[in-house]
Amino acid sequence: SGESVREVKNYYKLNDENIIVIYDDVSLDVGRIRIRPKGSDGGHNGMKSIIYQLNSNEFPRIRIGIGNRPPQMDLADYVLGHFTQEERNLLGDTRKRVEYVLPLLLKFGVSYAMNEVNGG
């Protein structure tokens, strides 16, 4: 993940705060969205790679909840597994909310987008 993001950053000569990373998060219920202006990797390997390659955690991110794995299941198997029909329906609604909030984030900034999404 990080190498690709770094290549795009370098090619387009982007500042970190102009990079928005959207990723899955097992610490959020399925379909929940959280926006943050910056932060740690939270144990997410993809985010760990991006932060390492950019040498920064100063970029906004949109976390999309996929729910916590069952205790007996390997994390990688869970993350790469399939959603139930109910979860797919929830995630369809989530996609629409991300499509709604992303232009707001770009136009009005992270704080505004956080107020729109993080409360619900």
Side-chain angles (χ1 to χ4, degrees):
S1 300
E3 291 176 5
S4 298
V5 173
R6 186 193 70 231
E7 291 292 324
V8 169
K9 174 188 174 177
N10 292 342
Y11 182 82
Y12 289 104
K13 298 173 180 39
L14 299 172
N15 295 322
D16 292 342
E17 62 271 7
N18 293 325
I19 297 169
I20 301 169
V21 177
I22 303 173
Y23 66 101
D24 61 345
D25 192 325
V26 297
S27 66
L28 294 174
D29 291 337
V30 175
R32 296 287 305 248
I33 299 172
R34 287 288 174 263
I35 298 174
R36 296 285 181 257
K38 60 184 177 179
S40 71
D41 60 53
H44 191 282
N45 288 333
M47 288 301 291
K48 192 177 299 185
S49 172
I50 293 168
I51 290 169
Y52 175 79
Q53 290 292 326
L54 297 181
N55 195 30
S56 171
N57 66 356
E58 302 283 323
F59 52 88
R61 68 271 325 260
I62 300 174
R63 300 164 40 213
I64 299 176
I66 62 169
N68 204 350
R69 68 177 168 89
Q72 71 280 7
M73 190 173 206
D74 178 69
L75 181 60
D77 289 340
Y78 176 72
V79 169
L80 298 174
H82 299 284
F83 292 106
T84 66
Q85 184 60 48
E86 182 181 346
E87 291 169 332
R88 286 195 298 271
N89 292 341
L90 275 171
L91 290 168
D93 293 340
T94 301
R95 180 185 52 81
K96 291 174 188 170
R97 287 196 339 249
V98 170
E99 289 173 352
Y100 163 77
V101 79
L102 194 53
L104 298 177
L105 189 154
L106 295 170
K107 185 171 184 177
F108 300 112
V110 176
S111 293
Y112 185 90
M114 287 171 59
N115 288 332
E116 287 290 309
V117 170
N118 290 356

